[in-house]
Amino acid sequence: MSGRSEARSTQREAIFKEIYDTLWAPVQRHVECVVEDDSEVTEIVSDVFLLAWRKLDAAKPLGLIWLIRAADNKLKDRERSRRARARAMETVHAVYAAPGDDDMLDALAVRHAVVKALTQRERRIVMLAYWDQLSAGEIAELLRCSQASVWTTLSRARKKLERELGLGESEGAAEARQAVEAARPAPRTTG
């Protein structure tokens, strides 16, 4: 290592040590307001400071606001993961609590139809809308496209699934379509 890069590394370490020593406690208090488990608090705060180390620019050191914003993002990630696990468990319990053979076969048929009939983009948008229950606006932001594109893709995917499942030509197509629409989450507004 050259003398110049060694000096920069030492300066960077000194700046980080100062940030760590002065701001660990305020960030920890911030996280403790939301999380009760001490080990989780420590893990989240450690992740924040690991991110701070990676993002540290000696010319422009990170401040308390940046660290709290990073902590809030970690807390949001934690909550999203918790909700996703809860939804997955609810789905598993709903399917296996009183599994009827017809219900299980229907679920397998829908899964097969999704894989067979939809493109990767359509599957992704369907998953985000129905599994993750994101609004069209949230999906559009995530995928960097317009809301109209999301709605068009969802509509196209539903029609493909109806055809694949044989719901378009049977007598009960209207009833099945109503059941599909009833199971569909209500659109959320973002704002």
Side-chain angles (χ1 to χ4, degrees), residues 7-166:
R8 251 185 274 152
S9 177
T10 304
Q11 179 189 16
R12 187 170 186 262
E13 289 172 10
I15 290 170
F16 182 77
K17 183 176 179 351
E18 167 114 11
I19 291 170
Y20 180 88
D21 290 343
T22 58
L23 299 178
W24 177 276
V27 173
Q28 183 177 11
R29 279 193 306 273
H30 178 75
V31 173
E32 286 174 338
C33 290
V34 179
V35 179
E36 292 180 18
D37 182 16
D38 289 341
S39 63
E40 270 190 89
V41 169
T42 302
E43 182 179 341
I44 291 169
V45 176
S46 296
D47 285 347
V48 168
F49 278 89
L50 177 62
L51 181 63
W53 172 254
R54 290 179 181 153
K55 300 280 185 179
L56 183 64
D57 178 5
K60 188 178 177 191
L62 306 168
L64 180 62
I65 299 301
W66 188 94
L67 292 167
I68 287 177
R69 188 173 293 136
D72 286 344
N73 288 338
K74 295 288 181 186
L75 291 167
K76 287 176 190 172
D77 290 344
R78 174 183 170 269
E79 182 60 23
R80 271 192 294 271
S81 294
R82 188 196 62 72
R83 281 195 318 256
R85 276 192 306 274
R87 278 196 307 271
M89 291 307 295
E90 287 172 7
T91 302
V92 168
H93 288 297
V95 169
Y96 291 110
D101 289 340
D102 290 341
D103 293 341
M104 188 64 75
L105 291 175
D106 288 345
L108 290 172
V110 169
R111 184 171 182 192
H112 177 72
V114 166
V115 171
K116 183 178 177 189
L118 302 183
T119 66
Q120 183 177 357
R121 178 178 170 79
E122 290 166 339
R123 283 193 303 267
R124 175 117 168 103
I125 289 176
V126 165
M127 180 197 70
L128 291 169
Y130 293 103
W131 180 259
D132 295 330
Q133 296 182 344
L134 297 181
S135 69
E138 292 168 326
I139 296 170
E141 183 179 341
L142 180 70
L143 300 179
R144 293 189 171 105
C145 65
S146 69
Q147 283 189 28
S149 174
V150 171
W151 285 117
T152 301
T153 303
L154 279 172
S155 177
R156 188 179 308 124
R158 279 194 298 271
K159 287 177 184 171
K160 284 182 176 181
L161 288 173
E162 285 175 357
R163 275 194 307 271
E164 184 66 29
L165 294 169

